[in-house]
Amino acid sequence: MPKSKPSIYDRYMPALYAEPTDQPAYWFVFLADTGKLLLNEQEGLAALPVATQVEELSFTPIRSLYLGTLEGAPCYTAEAPEETKAPNGYDFLPLRPLYDRLDEDLFHLAGRALQILNWDDTHRFCGRCGTTLALADRDRAKVCPNCGLSHYPRLSPAVITAILKDGKILLAHAPHFPDNMYGLIAGFAEPGETLEDCVRRETMEEVGIELGEIRYFGSQQWPFPHSLMIGFVAEYAGGEIAVDGEEIEHADWFGPGELPNIPPKVSIARKIIDWYTEEYGNRS
C-alpha cells in the first residue's frame, strides 16, 4: 500500500488564538472570489509573504484568521479584496496547479487556510435563528449567542476507488474530464451509509458491477471547495460494465502498460493509479 507522505503537522501546530508578539508571521493570502494564493517566485516556505500585520502587504483584508504556528512563527490566513494588486515580486496564483511547486505539506496547509476562509464567509449568521455568530472558545467553530447552535467548518467525505480484475484496473471517463482523461470511480457519501457502502453504491450506479473485498488506501484533503477524499482498492466480484451515461460516458479495464490519459499528480486518483502501476507492472 502507499508510502507515508509528509503531514502538515510536521511543521505546523494548529491554534485558535494568537499570543501577543511582534514576531513576523507567515500569511496565506487569497484573492476574494478566485481562490488565488499570493506567492513570490522563491521555493518552499520562502514563497509565502511575511509581515507582522497583513496591512504591510498593502491591502486591508476582508477577513483574517489565526491558523497557529508554522516553523515556530505565527501563521494566518486572510482574504484580500477582489481589486487588490499583488505587491512587487508577488502574484496571485491558482492553488490547484501549485501542488508540484509547493511542498506537499504546505499545499495541504494552504488548502486548510482556504477552507477556513470560506467557512468564515459562509457562516456569519445562525442557520436556525439568523443571529450573528461568534467564534467558539475551544474549537474551530462558531456559536450562536442566541440559541446556542454550533457551526463547524463544512467537510464533505467522498470515496474514490481503484477496482481491480485479473491484474487490470477499471478507469472511467466522465463528460467533464478534459483531454480524454480517465480516472477512478468516485462519489460523495450519503447520510446513513458507511464508506464501504458508498463505494459499492457508487460503483453500481456508475458502472453497474459488484465488488468483493474493499481495502483502505489513504486519504487526501481536497479544498475545491471542502472535500475529504478517501481512497480504496476493491476487487471485482461480478457483472458487466454498464455506464450510467451521465456521471460516466465510458469505462474499461486497462493493464499497467496500456493506461490512457490519467489525472495529474495533484490528486489522490493519480497516487492510487501510480501505486497500481508499480505494484502490478512488476508482475509477470
Side-chain angles (χ1 to χ4, degrees), residues 199-217:
V199 168
R200 296 184 189 279
R201 174 182 56 77
E202 287 288 344
T203 300
M204 179 56 68
E205 289 178 355
E206 294 187 358
V207 291
I209 63 175
E210 298 177 357
L211 300 179
E213 181 186 6
I214 298 172
R215 307 189 304 277
Y216 174 73
F217 178 90

Side-chain angles (χ1 to χ4, degrees), residues 7-34:
S7 166
I8 63 172
Y9 300 117
D10 290 339
R11 294 193 281 175
Y12 163 70
M13 181 65 66
L16 295 177
Y17 299 101
E19 298 292 334
T21 179
D22 293 330
Q23 183 180 4
Y26 292 107
W27 289 89
F28 289 89
V29 177
F30 293 91
L31 193 64
D33 299 326
T34 69

Side-chain angles (χ1 to χ4, degrees), residues 38-57:
L38 183 66
L39 293 175
N40 61 41
E41 295 183 354
Q42 299 185 68
E43 298 296 324
L45 197 57
L48 293 174
V50 175
T52 304
Q53 302 293 330
V54 71
E55 287 79 7
E56 296 171 19
L57 302 175

Side-chain angles (χ1 to χ4, degrees), residues 128-176:
R128 176 188 286 166
C129 69
T131 302
T132 300
L133 296 174
L135 289 173
D137 292 331
R138 297 184 179 181
D139 296 312
R140 181 70 71 181
K142 292 186 177 183
V143 178
C144 178
N146 180 51
C147 70
L149 184 65
S150 295
H151 301 256
Y152 290 88
R154 179 179 177 183
L155 196 62
S156 301
V159 300
I160 184 165
T161 309
I163 302 167
L164 306 181
K165 175 187 178 185
D166 300 329
K168 293 190 173 185
I169 187 171
L170 180 72
L171 297 177
H173 175 71
H176 64 278

Side-chain angles (χ1 to χ4, degrees), residues 173-182 261-262 264:
H173 175 71
H176 64 278
F177 285 177
D179 303 323
N180 201 33
M181 186 178 73
Y182 278 67
N261 184 28
I262 56 177

Side-chain angles (χ1 to χ4, degrees), residues 72-193:
C75 176
Y76 292 83
T77 184
E79 182 179 12
E82 188 176 2
E83 67 276 8
T84 300
K85 302 298 182 183
N88 289 337
Y90 286 84
D91 199 1
F92 284 103
L93 302 173
L95 180 59
R96 192 183 301 234
L98 292 174
Y99 183 85
D100 289 331
R101 175 179 164 185
L102 290 177
D103 298 336
E104 186 167 347
D105 56 342
L106 287 181
F107 179 84
H108 291 322
L109 182 52
R112 177 189 181 100
L114 178 59
Q115 290 178 88
I116 289 175
L117 279 180
N118 288 337
W119 163 73
D120 185 67
D121 179 33
T122 58
H123 290 75
R124 288 177 284 174
F125 305 99
C126 179
R128 176 188 286 166
C129 69
T131 302
T132 300
L133 296 174
L135 289 173
D137 292 331
R138 297 184 179 181
D139 296 312
R140 181 70 71 181
K142 292 186 177 183
V143 178
C144 178
N146 180 51
C147 70
L149 184 65
S150 295
H151 301 256
Y152 290 88
R154 179 179 177 183
L155 196 62
S156 301
V159 300
I160 184 165
T161 309
I163 302 167
L164 306 181
K165 175 187 178 185
D166 300 329
K168 293 190 173 185
I169 187 171
L170 180 72
L171 297 177
H173 175 71
H176 64 278
F177 285 177
D179 303 323
N180 201 33
M181 186 178 73
Y182 278 67
L184 303 178
I185 300 300
F188 288 101
E190 295 183 353
E193 65 182 5

